[in-house]
Amino acid sequence: GLTFTYLDPPTLTDVNPTAGPTTGGNEVTITGTSLATTHQVTFDDTPAAFTVLSDTTITATAPPHTAGENIPITVNTLGGNYTSNIYTYQDPPL
C-alpha cells in the first residue's frame, strides 16, 4: 500500500544577525525546528540563496532591499511555512 508521512511545520527561534546593509550579501544564520526540508527562504518575498546545515540551522544570504524594519523572513519547507518579522535593512554609512 501507499504510505504517507506527516512533517512538522517549521519554527524560527533565532536570526543572527538581525540587521544588515541595504546592499545585501551578508550571511544570516536562521535557527529553529523542522528546517531540514527547506526549499525556499525569502526576505520580504525576495528569494535568498540558502544552505541547510541541519534540521535546526540554515544559513541564507540576504538579498538587496530598501531600508526598513521588521522585514519578514519566510522559510518554506515540505511541512509548511513560517514567517518571522525580525530583520532590519540599514543604509550603509557614508
Side-chain angles (χ1 to χ4, degrees):
L2 298 174
T3 60
F4 187 82
T5 302
Y6 289 93
L7 299 172
D8 290 328
T11 62
L12 301 185
T13 57
D14 190 41
V15 173
N16 188 26
T18 58
T22 56
T23 54
N26 59 307
E27 185 174 277
V28 177
T29 300
I30 301 168
T31 56
T33 61
S34 302
L35 301 176
T37 62
T38 298
H39 58 87
Q40 185 177 44
V41 176
T42 60
F43 286 64
D44 198 22
D45 294 326
T46 301
F50 69 93
T51 302
V52 175
L53 300 177
S54 69
D55 195 43
T56 60
T57 307
I58 56 179
T59 58
T61 302
H65 192 283
T66 57
E69 296 180 1
N70 300 320
I71 302 302
I73 296 175
T74 301
V75 174
N76 300 309
T77 72
L78 295 179
N81 307 326
Y82 190 94
T83 300
S84 184
N85 296 332
I86 52 176
Y87 195 77
T88 300
Y89 279 94
Q90 301 168 331
D91 287 319
L94 299 176

